[in-house]
Amino acid sequence: MADDIAAVRAVLSEHVTERNEEVILVLHSAGGFIGSAAMEGGLSRPAREQVDLAGGVTKTIFISGAVFPEGHKHHLLPFAISKHGAAHPINPEFLLFDDVPEAEKAQWRAKLQSQPTDGWDGAVSYAGWKEVPSVYLVCEGDRALPVPLQEQLAALAGSRVERCSAGHMPHVSQPQRVAGVSGGDLGNSLDSLRG
């Protein structure tokens, strides 16, 4: 987990501290706590404003995101099996891709990689979501994070809630809905990256 946080922080720092860019963080699933922790070190817009610097994370968009406070201790996922130091989702066709067209399921299944189990039992060290406004896209067909849990996590973050009918991977099954989150902020950001 620490290496994932460090990797996200390195990319985020490049945009924020080297280019002075404003960033909207889009965090899916475990990315919710990984990306939030990566904001540590003054990478939010409010933190940068306090020291008269430009750039910073201005908003967080959670997509079926895991949002936890500092000190939250992670446990093994109930929907994953661990073998030889790697975790794999149980029945990903059902758990992750149930609303993806049948013709595409095998393609997406082939892209899945295992997640190392080592280091994923740590505690949340930083909750950057406290520093910026957020939107939480509740995925009502999600079989990995039940809707009541998503709603609880959204409330914890004080997020404005939007909804879709997708499963756990709406960026695969409903990409236009994901791009339209928060009045098109995400879609506009994607357009600026394309060109």
Side-chain angles (χ1 to χ4, degrees), residues 29 43 53 66 74 80 85 88 91 143 177 184 189 191:
S29 195
L43 296 177
L53 294 172
H74 296 286
H88 306 270
N91 192 1
R143 298 178 188 280
R177 177 63 187 102
S189 297
D191 288 341

Side-chain angles (χ1 to χ4, degrees), residues 99-118:
D99 62 331
V100 173
E102 283 299 323
E104 297 177 23
K105 282 186 181 182
Q107 165 198 343
W108 290 107
R109 173 68 176 95
K111 293 181 184 288
L112 280 181
Q113 297 182 13
S114 63
Q115 170 182 307
T117 54
D118 187 39

Side-chain angles (χ1 to χ4, degrees), residues 49-108:
E49 284 176 337
Q50 287 181 354
V51 290
D52 293 324
L53 294 172
V57 176
T58 60
K59 180 187 284 187
T60 303
I61 297 176
F62 296 107
I63 300 173
S64 258
V67 180
F68 300 119
E70 289 102 343
H72 173 83
K73 180 100 163 95
H74 296 286
H75 302 284
L76 290 177
L77 300 173
F79 49 79
I81 53 172
S82 297
K83 190 189 301 186
H84 307 298
H88 306 270
I90 298 169
N91 192 1
E93 290 81 2
F94 174 77
L95 185 71
L96 304 178
F97 304 122
D98 61 312
D99 62 331
V100 173
E102 283 299 323
E104 297 177 23
K105 282 186 181 182
Q107 165 198 343
W108 290 107

Side-chain angles (χ1 to χ4, degrees), residues 144-162:
L145 290 180
V147 170
L149 177 57
Q150 291 180 66
E151 292 171 337
Q152 179 184 356
L153 298 174
L156 174 66
S159 302
R160 185 169 55 78
V161 172
E162 293 191 21

